[in-house]
Amino acid sequence: MRWMVDHGARYLILIGRKKLPARAERAKISKEHPLYHNVAFIKELETKGAFIHAISLDITNEDEFKEFLKRYKAEGWHPIHGVIHIAGTVKDKLLSQMDQETFD
């Protein structure tokens, strides 16, 4: 995302299952807060000129996602021009140390 903002992207929607603190509360969270790094990253992108629309929803829940899109359009946000899905879990290991299940 940093690369996208550095190359001109200005309107980003960040969707995740974890609910971020309300915008007014973000300035108050401590470095020990479990979502501190997420909030700091959003602040960094915003200082570069990006407008971040961060929402919490389960993207695999079709009804929930349809409702989000309906609200998004009704609220008059910018058109969505692309989607990048970067969710996942990582079990860092050297390839030579992975079993088939970890690799899959």
Side-chain angles (χ1 to χ4, degrees):
M1 283 182 277
R2 188 178 288 118
W3 182 91
M4 291 171 29
V5 171
D6 288 344
H7 287 83
R10 290 294 169 258
Y11 301 96
L12 299 174
I13 305 167
L14 305 184
I15 298 174
R17 291 182 179 161
K18 294 178 184 175
K19 185 167 178 63
L20 291 174
R23 190 168 196 85
E25 300 299 313
R26 292 180 193 169
K28 302 174 191 173
I29 70 168
S30 70
K31 289 185 178 185
E32 290 75 34
H33 191 285
L35 296 174
Y36 173 82
H37 295 288
N38 301 64
V39 171
F41 183 61
I42 289 172
K43 288 179 184 178
E44 175 192 338
L45 296 178
E46 290 175 336
T47 63
K48 294 176 178 230
F51 299 90
I52 307 298
H53 184 61
I55 62 161
S56 172
L57 70 85
D58 179 354
I59 198 74
T60 65
N61 182 319
E62 187 175 349
D63 292 334
E64 195 175 338
F65 185 61
K66 283 180 180 178
E67 182 59 32
F68 158 71
L69 289 175
K70 185 175 152 184
R71 279 192 325 268
Y72 185 85
K73 185 176 181 179
E75 291 174 4
W77 290 92
H78 290 279
I80 298 171
H81 293 288
V83 174
I84 299 173
H85 185 270
I86 57 173
T89 57
V90 176
K91 295 180 183 176
D92 286 333
K93 285 186 177 180
L94 294 174
L95 186 58
S96 61
Q97 296 174 340
M98 288 185 187
D99 59 14
Q100 189 63 46
E101 182 182 351
T102 303
F103 181 79
D104 291 343

